[in-house]
Structures are given as structure tokens and as C-alpha cells.
Amino acid sequence: MSESESTTPTIGVFDSGFGGLTVLRALIDRLPMARFAFLGDTARLPYGSKSRRTIARYAAESAQFLVNEQGAEYLVIACNTASALALDAIQDAVSVPVLGVIEPGARAAAGASRSKDVLVIATDATVQSRAYAAACQALGLRALEKACPLLVPLVEEGWAESSSATGAVTAQVIQIYLAELTAQAAALGLDPDVLVLGCTHYPLLRGMFEAAVPVGVGVIDSAQAVAEAAAQGINGRVTADAGARGLPTEIRCFATDSVEKFERLGSRFLGRPVGKVQLVDLGG
Amino acid sequence: MSESESTTPTIGVFDSGFGGLTVLRALIDRLPMARFAFLGDTARLPYGSKSRRTIARYAAESAQFLVNEQGAEYLVIACNTASALALDAIQDAVSVPVLGVIEPGARAAAGASRSKDVLVIATDATVQSRAYAAACQALGLRALEKACPLLVPLVEEGWAESSSATGAVTAQVIQIYLAELTAQAAALGLDPDVLVLGCTHYPLLRGMFEAAVPVGVGVIDSAQAVAEAAAQGINGRVTADAGARGLPTEIRCFATDSVEKFERLGSRFLGRPVGKVQLVDLGG
């Protein structure tokens, strides 16, 4: 084993909220020996309704906090809006490698699709950015996108357990959205065989989506896709094998506001306690 | 008929978004001869996650726009968050009468309740402000509040038609929320006979609520309550009779951002076309 394989780099993970904890969770699965610093810019939520210039400034400030103050040597942008509108600005603002969430999702869809027709569901802001459509098109895919605004609040309400009465509501909502989307695809003459979950909240609904998609349609989780791409990017510096040595993963979580909600809901996204979330002030 | 009865005052109606159009609708029903100027401060949504000082500044600026630039002689604050946190600041900022949405709702509940135990449903921000609880308590009522975060997105998705598959989902969500709330009331030994709809989006779900509440529980719509109180405040200057003369209601709508969404969804709240929404810039 070379010297470089035994280092434990710090990976910075950024989101406008805490949905990106699903990306952190997928990263930990692949890089259990790394150190992680997660920042949720919760004070300036939602990014989706703000201008590109404002989002770029917020995202650049957040990235600089993770790199300059937390020592991140690699950045994962676990926020669809920031990935869609501010990836260039973030790359200009810091000198470490930066990976957005959209490109890996599109790449995973391209790898999984034989028909080259894919469905993408996301928030209204992400759909309006057309970022997935553009990334898919660049890879030779035809993408049909649909905004599903009810899914984030359903996840945040905790209505994601398929065995409960509340989960039955969420399953019904998913069924309605998918019926609308597949009807639209059929009307356009598309033959989709992949559904991309293009929002960091949606991995909590993955089982429901897998139960609801038509036969022959695979589900791509963009949180898994970006974690896979990040692990390959960091490959050789940390190995999954290192995790087997039994050292605990180091995770530091930061938020610019709403620490209470972050701590209360975050563990559901991360799949383990988020611990104490530190409040940071990035300015107005 | 006296001189004063023939004047047509301008009534300013303010909301952080466009849900307050349900209040405007209720006002038009009672004051069809008045002129109305509605401002939705959509660029700075959501107020609920911001500090009291920031909300006070935004609300005061919005109120000054309606009074100083649109000639409003009476202001209705059709926004629960601004009513809860910034009514004093608005009253200090302008010299016309200002009516918030919470006090009339609580007063209508007090008038309708015999047990003096009432239920209040609202957004998370309104519940956290404890404004309804305080207003109810001041009137001798015990109020049990519940945040229902799914209802605003359900209304904005247009899933409010009870005869449709999407409306069935909303009815199910309402049933779950009400079951939780009435179970909690029973556990506390309360005997509620009134449910207050404490959010300007909820009037679009009024029929569903009336079908879902336990027998003996009345539904109070705070949009109707504030319109009633405003009409009494303006009483003698405009009469409903004047509307019978057939002159059209004059409505001007303004928004600080998202004019497209306002125009697209607004008519559903207003019960008639909102027409052209004018974009205004109130600063950052």
C-alpha cells in the first residue's frame, strides 16, 4: 500500500439545505475512512427562487468556508440548484476539485438506458433550470422532466414509511406523478427505461419509486451516482478497505440557520445521528 | 344616502405571497365598490424563516408602497407571519388604519365556540409564532394549534378538487392531520367545537375541511373573518348596496417577483382572473 493510500482527506459536501445528507450518506458508504464536513446554507433557503448571480455568490461563499476553514480537499455539491446554476462560480472560487450532482446522474442514466429515453423527476427549480435535460442531451439521451413539488414536503413531514397510513398517501402521490409523466412520454413517442431521482430528498422514497415504476424501468438515484463518481475521483487516496480497519467516520455538520430542524430531520437523511450541528455565519 | 357613502376608498391588501388573494376575494364580496391594490412580496418569500426584524422591515416597506404609491386608505395584512410578527411595525410605518388577519380569526372563533376550546391549523411559521394561541387566550379561549405543512403545496399544485384523484389525496391528508389533532385534543381533555383555518391558502380546502371535521365542530375561515372585520371598519364609506349599481370592482395586483406564478395560480385564489400583475422593486 503506497503512502497516498493511507491519507485521510477531508471531503466537503455542500447543500442549500440538508437534503444533501443523502449524498453524504452515500459517500460514507464508499469512503468510510474519509473526514467529512457538511454545510447546509439553511439561512438562505430556498436557492431555487433566487437569481443565478445571487446563487453563485452564496454557493461560492459556502464552498470557500468548506475549503478555507474546514480544510476540504475535494468538494461535492449536493444541491441540484447550485450544481445547475453555480458550478462554474464554485470552481472559480476554490482551488480543489469540485463535483456537481447533475452530471453524474445523467452519466449513470446513460449507462443504464438502452432506449436512450429517460425520465427525470426533480423540484420545480431544477426542472426550470433544464440542467438535467442539457446534461442528458450532451450524452445522447432524450430526457423528459417533471417537477414534483409535493415530494420534498412529504419527506420532510416524515411520510416516507411505506407500511404506514401516511406512507400510503406518499405512494399515491408518486403513482399520480408517474402516471402523468409516463402518459406524457407516451404522447411524445418516447420509450423510457430509466427514471432519474433528481433531488437529494428523493432517495428516502427510493423503495416507493421502485415499486411504482412500470416494468422494465430502472431507478437511478443521483445521490448514489455522485457518490460513486466522487469515490472514483478520490480513488487511491482512500479505499473502502481502509474502513474495515474499524476507525470511525469523522463527520462535522454546519448550518447557517435552523440548526434545530437540521438536527431533528437530518438523521433520517443521513441514516445515523447527525450529532451536534454547528451554526456558522456566512453574512447576508 | 350621505356623501360619505358614495366615496370609493382604496383598500391595500398585503401578503408575502399570493395566498392573501383569498382575503381579497372575501373583501370584494363585502365591498364590491371599493378599489383594491394587492401586493405580494414574492421576491422575499418565505417570511416564515426570517427574523422578526427582517420581516418588520419588509412588511413596513410593502405597506408604504400600498399607502404612499397606491393611495391605500385602509390596509389589510393578509399574511399570517407579518400579522403575527410585524403588525406594530406596519402601524408605525403608515398613518392609515391597519388590520391583521389573526385577531379577527380569533374573535370569530370566540363568537362561534361554546366550549371555549378551539383548534387552529396553520403553517409551521404561524404555529411557531404562537400568535393565534395568544390572541385566543386573550379572548378566554384555549387553543390547540397544529402545523400542516403539506396543505400549501397541495393547494399550489391544484390538488383541491374533491371530485378528482388528486383531490382524494388532499382529503386523505386532511383526514390524517385532523385525526392527529383531535386525538391530541382528547388527550389534553379539551372539547373543541371550532376549527380555525389559520392560513390564507386554506379557504380553497374549506369544503374538504367541512366534510372532515367531527360532528359539532364548526369551521372558521380567517380570510372571511378579516374581510368581515375590515368591512365593518370601512362601514358607511362603501356599502354592499353600492355594488348593485353595477360598477366593476377595480383591482390592481403587484408582485416583487414571480409574476408568472402569481398570474398562473392567482385566479384560483381570487375566484376570477387576476389580470396583469405589475412587477415592483422594493429593494433588497
Side-chain angles (χ1 to χ4, degrees):
Chain A
M1 191 175 279
S2 72
E3 274 293 302
S4 67
E5 275 174 316
S6 65
T7 61
T8 54
T10 296
I11 301 169
V13 183
F14 164 63
D15 186 15
S16 56
F18 51 80
L21 289 169
T22 58
V23 174
L24 176 56
R25 179 181 192 165
L27 282 164
I28 292 168
D29 288 345
R30 288 167 179 75
L31 301 166
M33 273 292 288
R35 295 193 181 95
F36 295 96
F38 181 96
L39 172 64
D41 190 11
T42 47
R44 304 192 286 198
L45 270 175
Y47 275 21
S49 59
K50 298 188 169 66
S51 70
R52 179 186 285 262
R53 178 186 296 196
T54 300
I55 292 165
R57 179 163 65 83
Y58 290 174
E61 287 168 2
S62 300
Q64 285 167 338
F65 168 80
L66 287 169
V67 172
N68 300 340
E69 298 187 37
Q70 297 304 317
E73 298 151 71
Y74 196 96
L75 273 191
V76 176
I77 310 306
C79 170
N80 281 280
T81 306
S83 297
L85 300 176
L87 202 59
D88 289 352
I90 297 169
Q91 285 166 335
D92 288 347
V94 296
S95 56
V96 305
V98 179
L99 188 68
V101 76
I102 288 166
E103 167 77 21
R107 212 164 271 286
S113 175
R114 283 196 280 189
S115 69
K116 301 304 170 195
D117 291 341
V118 304
L119 305 172
V120 180
I121 56 165
T123 63
D124 205 23
T126 299
V127 170
Q128 283 188 30
S129 77
R130 308 275 304 146
Y132 273 103
C136 286
Q137 202 181 355
L139 296 167
L141 302 174
R142 289 190 296 180
L144 179 65
E145 298 178 283
K146 181 171 177 60
C148 301
L150 292 170
L151 299 182
V152 165
L154 282 163
V155 168
E156 295 199 350
E157 272 286 73
W159 291 25
E161 296 300 323
S162 54
S163 59
S164 65
T166 55
V169 169
T170 304
Q172 182 66 21
V173 170
I174 285 173
Q175 205 165 59
I176 290 170
Y177 279 143
L178 285 184
E180 290 172 359
L181 185 57
T182 51
Q184 203 190 339
L188 292 168
L190 299 177
D191 177 29
D193 57 359
V194 164
L195 172 72
V196 178
L197 307 184
C199 168
T200 55
H201 278 63
Y202 297 174
L204 280 84
L205 305 174
R206 183 174 181 155
M208 288 190 190
F209 275 110
E210 285 172 340
V213 287
V215 175
V217 174
V219 175
I220 296 280
D221 173 348
S222 60
Q224 298 287 340
V226 70
E228 191 60 49
Q232 286 171 10
I234 302 168
N235 201 15
R237 300 177 67 185
V238 188
T239 66
D241 170 66
R245 279 178 263 156
L247 291 177
T249 305
E250 185 190 311
I251 307 168
R252 283 163 286 156
C253 287
F254 303 88
T256 53
D257 197 358
S258 307
V259 167
E260 183 274 328
K261 191 179 177 190
F262 191 127
E263 289 178 349
R264 183 164 46 86
L265 299 183
S267 58
R268 212 183 285 153
F269 289 71
L270 190 57
R272 62 172 77 190
V274 294
K276 192 77 195 147
V277 176
Q278 293 175 61
L279 191 65
V280 292
D281 184 1
L282 298 182
Chain B
M1 190 176 282
S2 74
E3 274 292 304
S4 66
E5 275 174 316
S6 64
T7 62
T8 54
T10 296
I11 301 169
V13 183
F14 164 64
D15 186 13
S16 56
F18 51 80
L21 289 169
T22 58
V23 174
L24 176 55
R25 179 182 190 164
L27 282 164
I28 293 168
D29 287 345
R30 287 166 180 77
L31 301 165
M33 272 293 287
R35 295 193 181 97
F36 295 96
F38 181 95
L39 171 65
D41 190 11
T42 47
R44 305 191 287 198
L45 270 176
Y47 276 21
S49 59
K50 298 188 169 64
S51 71
R52 179 186 286 262
R53 177 186 298 197
T54 300
I55 292 165
R57 179 163 65 84
Y58 289 174
E61 288 168 0
S62 300
Q64 286 169 337
F65 167 80
L66 288 168
V67 172
N68 300 340
E69 298 186 38
Q70 298 303 317
E73 297 151 72
Y74 195 96
L75 273 191
V76 176
I77 310 305
C79 170
N80 281 281
T81 306
S83 296
L85 300 176
L87 202 59
D88 289 353
I90 296 168
Q91 285 166 335
D92 288 348
V94 297
S95 56
V96 305
V98 179
L99 188 68
V101 76
I102 288 166
E103 166 78 21
R107 212 166 271 286
S113 176
R114 283 195 281 189
S115 68
K116 301 304 170 193
D117 291 341
V118 305
L119 305 172
V120 180
I121 56 165
T123 64
D124 204 24
T126 300
V127 170
Q128 283 189 28
S129 77
R130 307 277 304 146
Y132 273 103
C136 286
Q137 201 179 358
L139 296 166
L141 302 174
R142 290 191 295 181
L144 180 64
E145 298 177 283
K146 182 173 177 59
C148 301
L150 292 171
L151 299 182
V152 166
L154 283 164
V155 168
E156 295 201 348
E157 272 285 73
W159 291 26
E161 297 299 325
S162 54
S163 59
S164 64
T166 54
V169 170
T170 304
Q172 183 65 22
V173 170
I174 285 172
Q175 206 165 59
I176 290 171
Y177 279 143
L178 284 184
E180 290 173 358
L181 184 57
T182 52
Q184 203 190 341
L188 292 168
L190 299 177
D191 176 29
D193 57 359
V194 164
L195 172 72
V196 178
L197 307 185
C199 169
T200 54
H201 277 64
Y202 298 175
L204 280 83
L205 305 174
R206 184 176 180 153
M208 288 189 189
F209 275 110
E210 285 172 338
V213 287
V215 175
V217 175
V219 175
I220 296 281
D221 173 349
S222 60
Q224 297 287 340
V226 69
E228 192 59 49
Q232 285 170 11
I234 302 167
N235 200 15
R237 300 178 66 184
V238 189
T239 67
D241 169 67
R245 280 180 262 155
L247 291 176
T249 306
E250 185 190 311
I251 308 168
R252 283 164 286 155
C253 287
F254 302 89
T256 54
D257 197 359
S258 307
V259 167
E260 184 274 327
K261 190 178 177 190
F262 192 128
E263 288 179 347
R264 182 164 46 87
L265 299 183
S267 58
R268 211 183 286 156
F269 289 69
L270 190 58
R272 63 172 77 192
V274 293
K276 192 77 196 150
V277 177
Q278 293 176 60
L279 191 66
V280 292
D281 184 1
L282 297 181

